Amino acid sequence: MQVPMRMEGFEHLVHKAATEIQAEIIQLIQSSRSGAGKVSVPPEWQDQTETVEVFKLQSSSQEWTVVSSKFSITMPHVTITKILRIQNQWLWEKYVQEKSRINQKNDGGVNEMELFHGTRTNTPEKIYNSEEGFDMRYSSQGMWGMANYFAVNASYSAMYAYASISQLGGSSRKKIFLAKVLTGDSYECAPDKTLRMPPQKLGGSTSSEVQLKQVHYDSVNGYTRGSQVYMTYSNNRAYPAYLISYV
């Protein structure tokens, strides 16, 4: 009589385990369909219901202090009126995927930097609300060819800031981005308007994970107008993290 009792207990455990596994599989499928869990987002991001949402930073927050301090190093005589955190899940996922690829190609040499970018006459909303983000197609023929240009110093990007005229008093409010940029293995060179991509490396890839006979540098950098500038020739290598408004 003891054997049937043991079998009944064993069957109960098997059924319980199968039910738990099935529930986990269903949860994984639902997460995959919803797109959840694909990439981790920055810790400062807030919950959102839409693909793109912006959040105004509080001037008393540590996040505001960090961003404004970077800006004020070379822009001490202006007043920041607003800082928006850009939470574009679509662009962020593309950026993280590109970061992973550069990490593999360079054996960890991602060299992520926080750099400034001015949009001239293009409204910043067109960048952070889009599927491409920073888009080389809007770039004019620059000193290092057609690329997305980013600067270490905010004062450089301020020369290309987007300006909007306030309806109250007619004063001009300017905006520039603070972006996360994957500079990777960057090639420093003098200005060259013929560039369409970073130069090719000699000897191919030296990565232990990726073996390619023909690889290019990940970005180009140089010095102009009092700032080191970095150029990327792929839209996925930069993310518009913050939009800074100032007068």
Side-chain angles (χ1 to χ4, degrees):
M1 294 297 293
Q2 293 179 353
V3 174
M5 291 178 64
R6 289 176 181 173
M7 290 298 294
E8 182 179 350
F10 178 73
E11 290 176 356
H12 173 71
L13 291 174
V14 170
H15 177 72
K16 180 180 179 183
T19 302
E20 291 176 351
I21 292 173
Q22 185 179 22
E24 290 181 3
I25 292 174
I26 292 174
Q27 185 176 5
L28 287 171
I29 293 174
Q30 291 175 339
S31 296
S32 175
R33 288 175 177 174
S34 65
K38 287 186 178 181
V39 297
S40 59
V41 299
E44 64 270 13
W45 277 27
Q46 296 170 246
D47 292 337
Q48 60 190 103
T49 57
E50 302 292 333
T51 302
V52 183
E53 293 189 23
V54 296
F55 294 88
K56 183 179 178 180
L57 301 190
Q58 298 298 317
S59 60
S60 59
S61 69
Q62 179 64 21
E63 193 175 4
W64 171 289
T65 300
V66 171
V67 175
S68 62
S69 295
K70 291 179 183 294
F71 176 85
S72 298
I73 291 173
T74 57
M75 296 288 287
H77 303 301
V78 301
T79 300
I80 297 176
T81 58
K82 183 167 59 176
I83 301 177
L84 297 179
R85 186 198 312 119
I86 312 302
Q87 296 186 190
N88 183 320
Q89 295 172 333
W90 176 269
L91 290 180
W92 180 254
E93 182 175 329
K94 292 171 66 176
Y95 176 79
V96 170
Q97 290 172 349
E98 185 71 8
K99 186 176 182 179
S100 177
R101 292 174 67 87
I102 294 178
N103 182 71
Q104 290 179 335
K105 191 182 80 166
N106 296 342
D107 273 338
V110 172
N111 294 328
E112 183 178 51
M113 302 180 70
E114 290 186 326
L115 304 171
F116 295 97
H117 177 85
T119 64
R120 292 181 183 255
T121 58
N122 297 314
T123 61
E125 289 76 13
K126 285 185 178 180
I127 292 175
Y128 70 69
N129 270 321
S130 71
E131 61 178 334
E132 284 295 328
F134 297 112
D135 194 336
M136 293 184 298
R137 291 172 295 184
Y138 289 103
S139 300
S140 60
Q141 184 72 20
M143 295 174 65
W144 283 269
M146 187 171 290
N148 290 318
Y149 285 66
F150 302 93
V152 172
N153 295 339
S155 56
Y156 176 88
S157 297
M159 292 185 285
Y160 306 96
Y162 176 79
S164 59
I165 304 300
S166 172
Q167 294 181 351
L168 299 176
S171 60
S172 176
R173 176 172 298 178
K174 297 183 177 180
K175 301 178 182 180
I176 63 173
F177 281 107
L178 178 61
K180 293 183 180 294
V181 184
L182 303 172
T183 63
D185 190 358
S186 189
Y187 182 81
E188 185 173 6
C189 66
D192 183 354
K193 292 185 177 182
T194 67
L195 287 175
R196 291 296 179 271
M197 64 179 67
Q200 184 175 323
K201 290 184 179 181
L202 297 177
S205 173
T206 58
S207 170
S208 59
E209 293 189 54
V210 180
Q211 295 78 40
L212 297 170
K213 292 184 179 180
Q214 294 189 10
V215 295
H216 291 256
Y217 287 91
D218 303 304
S219 65
V220 169
N221 74 88
Y223 190 83
T224 181
R225 297 190 178 185
S227 180
Q228 197 73 17
V229 293
Y230 287 81
M231 284 60 66
T232 62
Y233 300 80
S234 169
N235 293 336
N236 295 338
R237 293 186 180 175
Y239 177 81
Y242 298 95
L243 182 62
I244 303 168
S245 299
Y246 62 96
V247 293

Short mmCIF file of all heavy atoms in Angstrom, two decimals, residues 32-79:
data_model
loop_
_atom_site.label_atom_id
_atom_site.label_comp_id
_atom_site.label_asym_id
_atom_site.label_seq_id
_atom_site.Cartn_x
_atom_site.Cartn_y
_atom_site.Cartn_z
N SER A 32 8.67 39.01 -24.55
CA SER A 32 9.27 39.13 -25.88
C SER A 32 8.36 39.92 -26.80
O SER A 32 8.81 40.77 -27.58
CB SER A 32 9.56 37.74 -26.45
OG SER A 32 10.03 37.83 -27.77
N ARG A 33 7.06 39.63 -26.75
CA ARG A 33 6.12 40.32 -27.63
C ARG A 33 5.99 41.79 -27.28
O ARG A 33 5.83 42.64 -28.14
CB ARG A 33 4.74 39.65 -27.53
CG ARG A 33 4.68 38.27 -28.21
CD ARG A 33 3.34 37.60 -27.97
NE ARG A 33 3.26 36.33 -28.67
CZ ARG A 33 2.23 35.48 -28.53
NH1 ARG A 33 1.22 35.78 -27.73
NH2 ARG A 33 2.24 34.34 -29.20
N SER A 34 6.08 42.10 -26.00
CA SER A 34 5.93 43.49 -25.58
C SER A 34 7.21 44.28 -25.72
O SER A 34 7.23 45.50 -25.63
CB SER A 34 5.48 43.55 -24.11
OG SER A 34 6.49 43.02 -23.27
N GLY A 35 8.32 43.57 -25.95
CA GLY A 35 9.59 44.25 -26.09
C GLY A 35 10.27 44.52 -24.77
O GLY A 35 11.33 45.13 -24.71
N ALA A 36 9.66 44.07 -23.66
CA ALA A 36 10.21 44.33 -22.34
C ALA A 36 11.42 43.45 -22.09
O ALA A 36 11.51 42.33 -22.56
CB ALA A 36 9.15 44.07 -21.26
N GLY A 37 12.36 43.97 -21.33
CA GLY A 37 13.50 43.18 -20.93
C GLY A 37 14.59 43.07 -21.97
O GLY A 37 15.55 42.32 -21.78
N LYS A 38 14.49 43.78 -23.07
CA LYS A 38 15.50 43.68 -24.11
C LYS A 38 16.80 44.34 -23.68
O LYS A 38 17.87 43.77 -23.80
CB LYS A 38 14.99 44.30 -25.40
CG LYS A 38 13.92 43.48 -26.11
CD LYS A 38 13.56 44.11 -27.45
CE LYS A 38 12.53 43.27 -28.19
NZ LYS A 38 12.19 43.87 -29.51
N VAL A 39 16.72 45.54 -23.21
CA VAL A 39 17.91 46.25 -22.76
C VAL A 39 17.59 46.97 -21.45
O VAL A 39 16.44 47.33 -21.18
CB VAL A 39 18.39 47.28 -23.80
CG1 VAL A 39 18.79 46.59 -25.10
CG2 VAL A 39 17.31 48.31 -24.08
N SER A 40 18.61 47.18 -20.66
CA SER A 40 18.42 47.94 -19.43
C SER A 40 18.51 49.42 -19.74
O SER A 40 19.26 49.84 -20.63
CB SER A 40 19.48 47.55 -18.40
OG SER A 40 20.78 47.80 -18.91
N VAL A 41 17.75 50.21 -19.02
CA VAL A 41 17.73 51.66 -19.25
C VAL A 41 18.53 52.33 -18.14
O VAL A 41 18.81 51.73 -17.09
CB VAL A 41 16.28 52.19 -19.27
CG1 VAL A 41 15.50 51.55 -20.41
CG2 VAL A 41 15.59 51.96 -17.94
N PRO A 42 18.95 53.58 -18.34
CA PRO A 42 19.70 54.30 -17.30
C PRO A 42 18.93 54.34 -15.98
O PRO A 42 17.69 54.44 -15.99
CB PRO A 42 19.86 55.69 -17.90
CG PRO A 42 19.83 55.47 -19.38
CD PRO A 42 18.83 54.36 -19.58
N PRO A 43 19.62 54.28 -14.87
CA PRO A 43 18.94 54.22 -13.56
C PRO A 43 18.11 55.45 -13.24
O PRO A 43 17.16 55.37 -12.45
CB PRO A 43 20.10 54.07 -12.56
CG PRO A 43 21.31 54.59 -13.29
CD PRO A 43 21.09 54.24 -14.72
N GLU A 44 18.43 56.59 -13.86
CA GLU A 44 17.68 57.81 -13.57
C GLU A 44 16.37 57.89 -14.34
O GLU A 44 15.54 58.76 -14.06
CB GLU A 44 18.53 59.06 -13.87
CG GLU A 44 18.91 59.22 -15.32
CD GLU A 44 20.23 58.54 -15.67
OE1 GLU A 44 20.73 57.74 -14.85
OE2 GLU A 44 20.76 58.80 -16.77
N TRP A 45 16.16 57.01 -15.30
CA TRP A 45 14.92 57.05 -16.09
C TRP A 45 13.71 56.77 -15.21
O TRP A 45 13.75 55.92 -14.31
CB TRP A 45 14.99 56.04 -17.23
CG TRP A 45 15.71 56.55 -18.44
CD1 TRP A 45 16.70 57.50 -18.46
CD2 TRP A 45 15.52 56.13 -19.80
NE1 TRP A 45 17.14 57.69 -19.75
CE2 TRP A 45 16.44 56.88 -20.59
CE3 TRP A 45 14.69 55.20 -20.41
CZ2 TRP A 45 16.52 56.71 -21.97
CZ3 TRP A 45 14.77 55.05 -21.79
CH2 TRP A 45 15.68 55.80 -22.56
N GLN A 46 12.63 57.45 -15.51
CA GLN A 46 11.36 57.25 -14.82
C GLN A 46 10.46 56.33 -15.64
O GLN A 46 10.68 56.12 -16.84
CB GLN A 46 10.68 58.60 -14.59
CG GLN A 46 11.46 59.53 -13.67
CD GLN A 46 10.91 60.93 -13.65
OE1 GLN A 46 11.56 61.88 -14.09
NE2 GLN A 46 9.70 61.10 -13.12
N ASP A 47 9.45 55.79 -14.97
CA ASP A 47 8.49 54.93 -15.66
C ASP A 47 7.80 55.72 -16.77
O ASP A 47 7.51 56.90 -16.61
CB ASP A 47 7.45 54.39 -14.68
CG ASP A 47 8.05 53.41 -13.68
OD1 ASP A 47 9.12 52.82 -13.99
OD2 ASP A 47 7.47 53.23 -12.60
N GLN A 48 7.54 55.04 -17.88
CA GLN A 48 6.87 55.70 -18.99
C GLN A 48 5.91 54.74 -19.67
O GLN A 48 6.10 53.52 -19.63
CB GLN A 48 7.89 56.24 -20.00
CG GLN A 48 8.79 55.18 -20.62
CD GLN A 48 9.93 55.80 -21.42
OE1 GLN A 48 11.07 55.86 -20.95
NE2 GLN A 48 9.63 56.26 -22.65
N THR A 49 4.88 55.30 -20.30
CA THR A 49 3.88 54.49 -20.99
C THR A 49 4.00 54.61 -22.50
O THR A 49 3.49 53.78 -23.24
CB THR A 49 2.46 54.90 -20.56
OG1 THR A 49 2.27 56.31 -20.82
CG2 THR A 49 2.25 54.63 -19.07
N GLU A 50 4.67 55.68 -22.96
CA GLU A 50 4.86 55.90 -24.39
C GLU A 50 6.31 55.60 -24.77
O GLU A 50 7.20 55.62 -23.92
CB GLU A 50 4.52 57.34 -24.77
CG GLU A 50 3.10 57.75 -24.42
CD GLU A 50 2.05 57.03 -25.26
OE1 GLU A 50 2.38 56.63 -26.40
OE2 GLU A 50 0.91 56.88 -24.78
N THR A 51 6.53 55.35 -26.05
CA THR A 51 7.89 55.06 -26.53
C THR A 51 8.83 56.22 -26.29
O THR A 51 9.99 56.04 -25.95
CB THR A 51 7.86 54.72 -28.04
OG1 THR A 51 7.00 53.60 -28.25
CG2 THR A 51 9.26 54.35 -28.54
N VAL A 52 8.32 57.44 -26.47
CA VAL A 52 9.13 58.64 -26.25
C VAL A 52 8.45 59.53 -25.22
O VAL A 52 7.28 59.92 -25.40
CB VAL A 52 9.33 59.44 -27.56
CG1 VAL A 52 10.23 60.65 -27.30
CG2 VAL A 52 9.91 58.56 -28.65
N GLU A 53 9.16 59.84 -24.17
CA GLU A 53 8.66 60.78 -23.16
C GLU A 53 9.83 61.63 -22.68
O GLU A 53 10.98 61.18 -22.66
CB GLU A 53 8.02 60.05 -21.98
CG GLU A 53 6.73 59.33 -22.34
CD GLU A 53 5.99 58.80 -21.12
OE1 GLU A 53 6.21 59.33 -20.01
OE2 GLU A 53 5.21 57.85 -21.28
N VAL A 54 9.55 62.87 -22.34
CA VAL A 54 10.58 63.77 -21.81
C VAL A 54 10.18 64.19 -20.40
O VAL A 54 9.00 64.34 -20.08
CB VAL A 54 10.76 65.01 -22.71
CG1 VAL A 54 11.27 64.60 -24.08
CG2 VAL A 54 9.47 65.80 -22.84
N PHE A 55 11.19 64.37 -19.57
CA PHE A 55 10.95 64.72 -18.18
C PHE A 55 11.79 65.93 -17.80
O PHE A 55 13.00 65.96 -18.05
CB PHE A 55 11.31 63.54 -17.26
CG PHE A 55 10.41 62.34 -17.44
CD1 PHE A 55 10.72 61.39 -18.40
CD2 PHE A 55 9.27 62.18 -16.66
CE1 PHE A 55 9.90 60.28 -18.57
CE2 PHE A 55 8.46 61.08 -16.83
CZ PHE A 55 8.76 60.12 -17.80
N LYS A 56 11.14 66.92 -17.22
CA LYS A 56 11.83 68.14 -16.80
C LYS A 56 12.56 67.89 -15.49
O LYS A 56 11.96 67.43 -14.51
CB LYS A 56 10.81 69.27 -16.64
CG LYS A 56 11.42 70.61 -16.28
CD LYS A 56 10.35 71.69 -16.17
CE LYS A 56 10.96 73.02 -15.77
NZ LYS A 56 9.91 74.08 -15.66
N LEU A 57 13.85 68.19 -15.47
CA LEU A 57 14.63 68.00 -14.26
C LEU A 57 14.35 69.12 -13.26
O LEU A 57 14.14 70.28 -13.64
CB LEU A 57 16.13 67.99 -14.58
CG LEU A 57 16.66 66.94 -15.55
CD1 LEU A 57 18.18 66.95 -15.54
CD2 LEU A 57 16.13 65.56 -15.23
N GLN A 58 14.36 68.76 -11.99
CA GLN A 58 14.23 69.74 -10.93
C GLN A 58 15.59 70.39 -10.69
O GLN A 58 16.61 69.70 -10.62
CB GLN A 58 13.72 69.08 -9.65
CG GLN A 58 12.35 68.47 -9.76
CD GLN A 58 11.28 69.51 -10.08
OE1 GLN A 58 11.27 70.61 -9.50
NE2 GLN A 58 10.38 69.18 -11.00
N SER A 59 15.62 71.71 -10.57
CA SER A 59 16.88 72.42 -10.40
C SER A 59 17.58 72.06 -9.10
O SER A 59 18.79 72.32 -8.95
CB SER A 59 16.65 73.93 -10.47
OG SER A 59 15.75 74.34 -9.45
N SER A 60 16.86 71.45 -8.18
CA SER A 60 17.45 71.05 -6.89
C SER A 60 18.00 69.63 -6.92
O SER A 60 18.58 69.17 -5.94
CB SER A 60 16.39 71.15 -5.79
OG SER A 60 15.26 70.33 -6.09
N SER A 61 17.85 68.94 -8.04
CA SER A 61 18.25 67.53 -8.12
C SER A 61 19.73 67.38 -8.43
O SER A 61 20.36 68.26 -9.02
CB SER A 61 17.43 66.80 -9.18
OG SER A 61 17.78 67.25 -10.48
N GLN A 62 20.29 66.23 -8.05
CA GLN A 62 21.68 65.92 -8.35
C GLN A 62 21.90 65.80 -9.85
O GLN A 62 22.94 66.19 -10.38
CB GLN A 62 22.08 64.62 -7.66
CG GLN A 62 23.50 64.18 -7.90
CD GLN A 62 24.53 65.15 -7.34
OE1 GLN A 62 24.24 65.94 -6.44
NE2 GLN A 62 25.75 65.11 -7.87
N GLU A 63 20.89 65.29 -10.54
CA GLU A 63 20.98 65.12 -12.00
C GLU A 63 21.13 66.48 -12.69
O GLU A 63 21.94 66.63 -13.61
CB GLU A 63 19.72 64.40 -12.50
CG GLU A 63 19.81 63.90 -13.92
CD GLU A 63 18.58 63.08 -14.31
OE1 GLU A 63 17.64 62.97 -13.48
OE2 GLU A 63 18.56 62.58 -15.44
N TRP A 64 20.36 67.46 -12.25
CA TRP A 64 20.49 68.82 -12.79
C TRP A 64 21.90 69.36 -12.54
O TRP A 64 22.52 69.95 -13.43
CB TRP A 64 19.45 69.74 -12.13
CG TRP A 64 19.61 71.20 -12.45
CD1 TRP A 64 20.59 72.05 -12.00
CD2 TRP A 64 18.77 72.00 -13.30
NE1 TRP A 64 20.41 73.32 -12.50
CE2 TRP A 64 19.30 73.32 -13.30
CE3 TRP A 64 17.62 71.75 -14.04
CZ2 TRP A 64 18.73 74.36 -14.02
CZ3 TRP A 64 17.04 72.80 -14.76
CH2 TRP A 64 17.58 74.07 -14.75
N THR A 65 22.39 69.15 -11.33
CA THR A 65 23.72 69.66 -10.97
C THR A 65 24.80 69.08 -11.87
O THR A 65 25.69 69.80 -12.34
CB THR A 65 24.03 69.33 -9.51
OG1 THR A 65 23.05 69.94 -8.65
CG2 THR A 65 25.42 69.82 -9.11
N VAL A 66 24.72 67.78 -12.14
CA VAL A 66 25.73 67.13 -12.98
C VAL A 66 25.71 67.68 -14.40
O VAL A 66 26.74 68.03 -14.97
CB VAL A 66 25.51 65.59 -13.00
CG1 VAL A 66 26.40 64.93 -14.03
CG2 VAL A 66 25.77 65.00 -11.62
N VAL A 67 24.51 67.77 -14.98
CA VAL A 67 24.38 68.24 -16.36
C VAL A 67 24.76 69.71 -16.47
O VAL A 67 25.52 70.11 -17.37
CB VAL A 67 22.93 68.01 -16.88
CG1 VAL A 67 22.77 68.62 -18.27
CG2 VAL A 67 22.60 66.53 -16.90
N SER A 68 24.23 70.54 -15.58
CA SER A 68 24.50 71.98 -15.65
C SER A 68 25.98 72.30 -15.40
O SER A 68 26.52 73.26 -15.98
CB SER A 68 23.63 72.74 -14.64
OG SER A 68 23.93 72.34 -13.31
N SER A 69 26.63 71.50 -14.57
CA SER A 69 28.06 71.73 -14.29
C SER A 69 28.90 71.51 -15.54
O SER A 69 29.84 72.27 -15.81
CB SER A 69 28.53 70.82 -13.16
OG SER A 69 27.88 71.14 -11.94
N LYS A 70 28.59 70.47 -16.30
CA LYS A 70 29.31 70.21 -17.55
C LYS A 70 29.13 71.38 -18.51
O LYS A 70 30.07 71.81 -19.18
CB LYS A 70 28.81 68.91 -18.19
CG LYS A 70 29.15 67.64 -17.44
CD LYS A 70 28.57 66.42 -18.14
CE LYS A 70 28.83 65.15 -17.38
NZ LYS A 70 30.28 64.82 -17.33
N PHE A 71 27.91 71.86 -18.60
CA PHE A 71 27.58 72.95 -19.51
C PHE A 71 28.28 74.24 -19.10
O PHE A 71 28.82 74.97 -19.95
CB PHE A 71 26.06 73.13 -19.51
CG PHE A 71 25.56 74.29 -20.32
CD1 PHE A 71 25.33 74.16 -21.68
CD2 PHE A 71 25.31 75.51 -19.72
CE1 PHE A 71 24.86 75.22 -22.44
CE2 PHE A 71 24.83 76.59 -20.46
CZ PHE A 71 24.61 76.44 -21.82
N SER A 72 28.29 74.53 -17.80
CA SER A 72 28.76 75.83 -17.31
C SER A 72 30.27 75.98 -17.33
O SER A 72 30.77 77.11 -17.17
CB SER A 72 28.25 76.05 -15.88
OG SER A 72 26.83 76.09 -15.86
N ILE A 73 31.00 74.91 -17.56
CA ILE A 73 32.47 75.01 -17.61
C ILE A 73 32.90 76.02 -18.67
O ILE A 73 33.80 76.84 -18.44
CB ILE A 73 33.10 73.62 -17.90
CG1 ILE A 73 32.90 72.69 -16.70
CG2 ILE A 73 34.58 73.76 -18.22
CD1 ILE A 73 33.34 71.27 -16.95
N THR A 74 32.25 75.97 -19.82
CA THR A 74 32.61 76.91 -20.90
C THR A 74 31.48 77.88 -21.23
O THR A 74 31.61 78.68 -22.15
CB THR A 74 32.99 76.13 -22.18
OG1 THR A 74 31.91 75.28 -22.56
CG2 THR A 74 34.24 75.30 -21.95
N MET A 75 30.38 77.82 -20.47
CA MET A 75 29.25 78.75 -20.68
C MET A 75 28.84 79.35 -19.34
O MET A 75 27.67 79.25 -18.92
CB MET A 75 28.08 78.00 -21.32
CG MET A 75 28.35 77.46 -22.71
SD MET A 75 28.42 78.76 -23.96
CE MET A 75 26.69 79.20 -24.08
N PRO A 76 29.75 80.02 -18.65
CA PRO A 76 29.45 80.51 -17.29
C PRO A 76 28.56 81.75 -17.23
O PRO A 76 28.03 82.07 -16.17
CB PRO A 76 30.84 80.81 -16.73
CG PRO A 76 31.65 81.20 -17.93
CD PRO A 76 31.13 80.32 -19.06
N HIS A 77 28.40 82.44 -18.35
CA HIS A 77 27.71 83.73 -18.32
C HIS A 77 26.28 83.67 -18.86
O HIS A 77 25.70 84.71 -19.18
CB HIS A 77 28.51 84.78 -19.10
CG HIS A 77 29.91 84.94 -18.60
ND1 HIS A 77 30.20 85.32 -17.31
CD2 HIS A 77 31.12 84.75 -19.22
CE1 HIS A 77 31.52 85.38 -17.14
NE2 HIS A 77 32.09 85.04 -18.29
N VAL A 78 25.72 82.48 -18.97
CA VAL A 78 24.32 82.34 -19.39
C VAL A 78 23.54 81.67 -18.27
O VAL A 78 24.11 81.12 -17.33
CB VAL A 78 24.20 81.52 -20.70
CG1 VAL A 78 24.98 82.19 -21.83
CG2 VAL A 78 24.68 80.09 -20.48
N THR A 79 22.23 81.71 -18.40
CA THR A 79 21.36 81.12 -17.38
C THR A 79 20.58 79.96 -17.98
O THR A 79 19.88 80.11 -18.98
CB THR A 79 20.35 82.18 -16.85
OG1 THR A 79 21.08 83.27 -16.28
CG2 THR A 79 19.45 81.56 -15.79
#
